[in-house]
Amino acid sequence: MTRPQVTIDGNEAAAYVAHKTNEVIAIYPITPSSNMGEWADQWSSEGKQNIWGTVPTVIEMQSEGGAAGALHGALQAGTLGCTFTASQGLLLMIPNMYKIAGELTPAVIHVAARAVAAQALSIFGDHQDVMAVRQTGFAMLAANSVQEVMDMSLIAQAATLESRIPFVHFFDGFRTSHEVAKVEQLTEDDMRAMVDDELVRRHRQRALSPDHPVLRGTAQNPDVYFQGRETVNPFYIATPAIVQNAMDKFAALAGRQYHLFDYVGAPDAERVIVIMGSGAETVQETVEYLVERGEKIGLVKVRLYRPFATDAFLACLPKTVKSIAVLDRTKEPGSLGEPLYQEVLTALHEGCEGPLPRIVGGRYGLSSKEFTPAMVKGVFDEIAKPKPKNHFTIGILDDVTHTSLDYDDSFSTEDPATVRCLFFGLGADGTVGANKNSIKIIGEETPNYAQGYFVYDSKKSGSMTISHLRFGPKPIRSSYLISRANFIACHLFTFLERIDVLRAAVPGATFL
């Protein structure tokens, strides 16, 4: 079956599936997730129907806490519901998230993962927000690219209905939520095949109703609360297999096979990076480039972060691995290590029968800080050393506590067949809008793969924008900015006096 090719961003990809597979969508805007709510609101106002032939009710609340409360209420009424959020907005949902998970209620919260305000506010992407809700009992599923956002949205919806565990489906704010890419659009038939109507009926039957009263949401004393907390264990134990089954069913439909953990690289790799989110795309590009040149390295992409399936993780690691770097896009001051690093350490300690490989952890990409193939190679070089640095940072120069790794900034894996364009514009001058149109035309009217990413600062209109466009004959995994361009355009003459617009130009580049 041929599916339509569309050129859209990550937010639209998530909203598309969410709108088709839900009945109540409670929203409250917060950057960079606002567009998901905007799309859902627009589609409902246009009378667009879900896969059951009804128009989803989209309701904007007065805060994210209200959106989570409305979601909780809708779910208890037996309705299929979801919401979209990020950063502080997700943190405001924590009390309701404990209740939704504690009552074993299927739901999906789609999160454009974003930095949390600490020493300062940042609207840009990392995993600090989703890591702050990992204790609520929600399962956590990561998507690494725009295509994966669409795919994982549907896999999460199917898995939550079967497992009764609610899901946080997350992808990197801006880097994935706002990246425009050419993807294969899932059809309503795909969604009907993945979402089991019998499971929907069971969700309806568990609703609070005067026709079949049940007692729910009580207060409990020391005699039973502990036992009640432990009764959820079988549901969490069953969840990884349910997610893998949903991924297998999805592969039979759409032809894209995912696993709880996916390995890429040399079958006899000695050095491996473990990572999740858009950074995994950059690591994969680097691994494929270096493996072709004889390096024994690999990558483990984490899809289902919670519940963490130790057996599946150990099964996907090559038996030859000697050293592992676990990369976290978050910081937990005062902890013994970041969350993914701790999870991997525990899995290997509890599950490995022989001697353990050397394991180090590092931080990268906070607040959308660049993460490039040069940095990936720097990490692989570090773990080749007899005593690699642990709890390192990559991508910054830490001259205070000296955690940062050195790397060769000139290293590049850019494909010469890929056209790389940079456009310098002024916020609100039309440059970004025109470039979005251009990349959609290239993506949808030619056989090329296409990618557009747009850099603004948080002041938005009136400040400089830089559009990064790539297109070419091969799939594009480059989830980082263009530093070597063969076409550069400058749309404001005064920029020529202030910045070196030709710094990224390769020999023979065109300047407009």
Side-chain angles (χ1 to χ4, degrees):
M1 175 178 151
T2 54
R3 292 174 181 80
Q5 302 276 332
V6 293
T7 306
I8 58 174
D9 66 17
N11 276 333
E12 187 178 347
Y16 170 72
V17 174
H19 191 264
K20 291 285 183 198
T21 56
N22 283 285
E23 298 163 305
V24 169
I25 302 175
I27 61 172
Y28 189 80
I30 182 167
T31 305
S33 69
S34 305
N35 312 67
M36 289 187 274
E38 286 171 13
W39 281 115
D41 202 14
Q42 179 183 322
W43 291 328
S44 282
S45 71
E46 292 167 355
K48 291 196 175 169
Q49 297 178 340
N50 61 23
I51 58 173
W52 298 282
T54 63
V55 177
T57 301
V58 179
I59 178 163
E60 184 173 340
M61 302 303 289
Q62 290 171 311
S63 76
E64 290 89 357
L71 173 64
H72 184 202
L75 297 169
Q76 288 302 335
T79 307
L80 296 174
C82 75
T83 186
F84 317 110
T85 193
S87 190
Q88 256 67 19
L90 182 62
L91 304 195
L92 287 168
M93 295 184 176
I94 287 175
N96 278 289
M97 290 175 73
Y98 271 105
K99 289 292 289 177
I100 291 166
E103 293 161 356
L104 295 171
T105 321
V108 182
I109 297 179
H110 300 272
V111 178
R114 175 189 141 182
V116 168
Q119 82 281 6
L121 177 144
S122 170
I123 62 167
F124 294 99
D126 62 35
H127 298 164
Q128 289 180 75
D129 54 0
V130 290
M131 289 303 150
V133 301
R134 67 186 192 275
Q135 74 286 357
T136 58
F138 269 62
M140 298 176 68
L141 189 67
N144 305 344
S145 66
V146 180
Q147 181 71 68
E148 288 186 18
V149 170
M150 186 173 286
D151 298 351
M152 294 298 170
S153 295
L154 184 54
I155 288 165
Q157 191 70 35
T160 192
L161 282 164
E162 187 174 350
S163 65
R164 292 183 58 188
I165 303 297
F167 274 68
V168 163
H169 163 238
F170 70 95
F171 45 95
D172 289 357
F174 285 107
R175 187 61 258 184
T176 307
S177 68
H178 283 60
E179 178 186 306
V180 176
K182 180 176 183 172
V183 300
E184 188 179 271
Q185 188 174 45
L186 299 173
T187 65
E188 290 197 12
D189 288 342
D190 293 330
M191 296 183 213
R192 285 192 199 95
M194 285 292 291
V195 177
D196 186 339
D197 282 345
E198 177 54 33
L199 296 173
V200 176
R201 269 192 291 276
R202 286 184 207 166
H203 173 59
R204 299 250 195 275
Q205 285 161 1
R206 290 191 294 268
L208 290 174
S209 164
D211 297 331
H212 47 86
V214 291
L215 191 63
R216 197 175 290 161
T218 60
Q220 289 177 345
N221 290 339
D223 55 345
V224 294
Y225 182 88
F226 186 179
Q227 297 92 306
R229 226 36 221 117
E230 295 296 325
T231 59
V232 299
N233 296 352
F235 293 88
Y236 286 89
I237 292 165
T239 297
I242 288 169
V243 174
Q244 187 58 64
N245 289 341
M247 288 173 165
D248 295 344
K249 188 176 178 183
F250 179 86
L253 282 169
R256 288 183 293 279
Q257 177 70 65
Y258 300 105
H259 300 91
L260 305 181
F261 302 92
D262 274 313
Y263 177 77
V264 176
D268 57 348
E270 294 176 356
R271 291 169 288 152
V272 169
I273 285 177
V274 181
I275 191 171
M276 59 186 168
S278 63
E281 296 285 284
T282 301
V283 178
Q284 179 167 344
E285 182 180 303
T286 313
V287 164
E288 288 172 348
Y289 180 89
L290 291 171
V291 166
E292 274 182 17
R293 287 152 183 78
E295 296 266 10
K296 291 185 176 181
I297 58 173
L299 149 73
V300 174
K301 301 186 207 181
V302 179
R303 309 279 190 199
L304 184 70
Y305 170 66
R306 282 284 165 95
F308 197 93
T310 299
D311 294 348
F313 174 72
L314 295 174
C316 95
L317 270 180
K319 300 289 178 273
T320 48
V321 65
K322 292 176 181 170
S323 55
I324 297 171
V326 185
L327 295 184
D328 274 275
R329 200 164 201 157
T330 187
K331 178 168 178 62
E332 293 200 357
S335 71
L336 283 170
E338 266 56 56
L340 185 57
Y341 168 73
Q342 298 246 38
E343 215 88 27
V344 168
L345 261 183
T346 305
L348 283 160
H349 181 75
E350 291 186 0
C352 252
E353 291 179 357
L356 288 178
R358 186 191 295 110
I359 309 154
V360 295
R363 294 180 293 283
Y364 75 99
L366 264 67
S367 180
S368 290
K369 179 69 87 175
E370 269 293 86
F371 181 59
T372 63
M375 296 172 198
V376 175
K377 186 174 185 299
V379 173
F380 277 122
D381 291 346
E382 182 67 22
I383 61 174
K385 295 176 182 175
K387 284 193 172 176
K389 185 180 283 189
N390 201 356
H391 309 297
F392 60 82
T393 55
I394 185 79
I396 61 169
L397 176 60
D398 176 6
D399 54 1
V400 179
T401 50
H402 310 291
T403 60
S404 50
L405 302 183
D406 295 326
Y407 61 95
D408 174 9
D409 199 28
S410 67
F411 176 78
S412 171
T413 56
E414 288 276 22
D415 188 331
T418 301
V419 179
R420 285 150 280 144
C421 312
L422 284 178
F423 293 79
F424 293 86
L426 188 69
D429 71 353
T431 298
V432 169
N435 280 320
K436 283 186 176 176
N437 289 339
S438 302
I439 208 69
K440 287 187 177 188
I441 291 166
I442 292 167
E444 291 173 9
E445 304 299 330
T446 77
N448 285 303
Y449 291 89
Q451 176 202 57
Y453 187 71
F454 309 94
V455 177
Y456 339 73
D457 68 14
S458 46
K459 293 189 288 290
K460 297 179 183 167
S461 66
S463 57
M464 187 171 72
T465 65
I466 309 173
S467 304
H468 297 250
L469 270 52
R470 288 182 177 97
F471 58 91
K474 294 180 185 168
I476 297 167
R477 295 193 179 277
S478 312
S479 58
Y480 53 91
L481 303 179
I482 292 168
S483 60
R484 292 167 177 76
N486 36 33
F487 179 90
I488 296 176
C490 178
H491 292 180
L492 191 71
F493 284 113
T494 54
F495 286 164
L496 298 174
E497 297 158 17
R498 287 172 34 209
I499 56 170
D500 182 3
V501 294
L502 293 181
R503 192 179 67 187
V506 296
T510 302
F511 178 62
L512 175 66

